[in-house]
């Protein structure tokens, strides 16, 4: 029994945001509360049946190939906010003032973790741009975020695409999904154009 229990814990703790200790607590709670387990199984089935990844921006789509943001004609398709993860886009969406569209890269360049530019949705991003596009780089204020922003800026510069970077209201080393709404709003509203030398 002990072996099987620990195998389940190891499996669950591989998911983002779940530590081994959190996974242990979750599994024990589900074992002790069958109704919670049934409810979780039901919701996981709903996720599998109803949600997918948007084919255009790679945000979350509900019962459709495109997400609600990509389908919304009132949003400016010439302004694309480039984020590392879906959670980053969700955090920006919370303050409901951004009226452009998104490009979710699926991470940031991190050679230490073997995440190279070709592992991200960079080609798909640049297939969407045109001479009127502004790319807002809303990447984490970390080394990996800066590397990714510089990489994207160089490509955009070659294509003569206007590129801005969210303001440094985000502290160095800061992650977007931990930022409060007012900090994110400040960062978006005070974005600066990137010039590549």
């Amino acid at each position: 029994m002990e072996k099987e229990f620990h195998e389940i814990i190891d499996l669950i703790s591989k998911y983002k945001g779940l530590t081994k200790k959190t996974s242990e607590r979750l599994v024990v709670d589900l074992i002790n509360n069958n109704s919670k387990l049934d409810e979780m199984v039901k919701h996981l089935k709903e996720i599998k049946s109803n949600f997918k990844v948007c084919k255009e921006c790679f945000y979350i789509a509900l019962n459709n190939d495109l997400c609600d943001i990509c389908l919304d004609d009132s949003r400016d398709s010439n302004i694309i906010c480039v984020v590392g993860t879906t959670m980053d886009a969700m955090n920006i969406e919370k303050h409901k003032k951004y009226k452009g569209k998104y490009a979710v890269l699926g991470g940031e360049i991190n050679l230490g973790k073997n995440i190279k530019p070709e592992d991200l949705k960079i080609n798909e991003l640049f297939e969407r741009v045109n001479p009127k596009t502004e790319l807002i780089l809303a990447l984490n204020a970390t080394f990996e975020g800066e590397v990714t922003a510089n990489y994207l800026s160089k490509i955009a510069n070659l294509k003569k695409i206007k590129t801005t970077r969210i303001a440094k209201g985000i502290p160095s080393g800061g992650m977007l999904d931990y930022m409060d709404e007012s900090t994110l709003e400040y960062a978006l509203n005070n974005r600066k154009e990137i010039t590549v030398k």
Side-chain angles (χ1 to χ4, degrees):
M1 189 283 288
E2 184 111 353
K3 182 181 174 221
E4 289 85 351
F5 179 80
H6 288 293
E7 283 174 355
I8 291 169
I9 301 303
D10 289 340
L11 180 70
I12 292 174
S13 63
K14 288 179 183 170
Y15 292 100
K16 282 185 181 176
L18 292 175
T19 63
K20 199 160 188 170
K21 184 55 76 180
T22 306
S23 301
E24 284 175 356
R25 287 186 184 128
L26 174 64
V27 171
V28 169
D29 190 34
L30 293 174
I31 291 169
N32 289 329
N33 298 284
N34 258 348
S35 61
K36 281 186 182 178
L37 180 58
D38 292 338
E39 193 177 337
M40 179 173 267
V41 168
K42 177 186 158 206
H43 290 310
L44 290 172
K45 284 180 179 174
E46 284 175 11
I47 291 169
K48 186 175 182 183
S49 301
N50 301 327
F51 292 90
K52 44 175 92 167
V53 175
C54 176
K55 288 191 174 178
E56 183 158 314
C57 74
F58 306 100
Y59 191 62
I60 294 173
L62 176 63
N63 295 319
N64 210 318
D65 284 338
L66 297 177
C67 68
D68 290 346
I69 296 167
C70 286
L71 289 169
D72 186 348
D73 291 334
S74 72
R75 296 186 76 135
D76 191 341
S77 58
N78 285 323
I79 300 177
I80 300 175
C81 185
V82 182
V83 294
T85 68
T86 302
M87 291 298 295
D88 294 339
M90 283 181 169
N91 210 23
I92 292 169
E93 275 301 286
K94 281 179 193 169
H95 71 73
K96 302 191 183 308
K97 295 200 176 169
Y98 173 67
K99 298 301 178 191
K101 302 213 174 172
Y102 290 96
V104 180
L105 297 178
E108 294 172 338
I109 298 168
N110 187 333
L111 299 180
K113 292 185 177 176
N114 205 28
I115 302 172
K116 302 181 285 299
E118 55 268 27
D119 299 318
L120 304 175
K121 303 293 184 189
I122 293 172
N123 289 337
E124 292 86 345
L125 162 64
F126 283 103
E127 284 169 10
R128 293 171 57 196
V129 302
N130 64 64
K132 295 179 181 174
T133 302
E134 176 190 354
L135 295 180
I136 302 172
L137 304 183
L139 299 160
N140 291 316
T142 60
F143 177 75
E144 292 79 14
E146 294 300 320
V147 168
T148 308
N150 289 338
Y151 183 85
L152 295 173
S153 299
K154 285 177 182 171
I155 297 172
N157 185 57
L158 290 172
K159 294 180 180 287
K160 301 198 179 341
I161 302 297
K162 180 180 179 181
T163 309
T164 56
R165 184 86 159 99
I166 57 174
K168 299 294 183 182
I170 295 177
S172 180
M175 307 286 277
L176 255 65
D177 57 350
Y178 291 103
M179 296 299 123
D180 62 81
E181 291 176 27
S182 59
T183 302
L184 265 177
E185 186 178 344
Y186 171 84
L188 277 168
N189 290 340
N190 294 286
R191 61 189 183 270
K192 307 281 186 242
E193 187 162 358
I194 297 172
T195 52
V196 178
K197 296 173 184 172

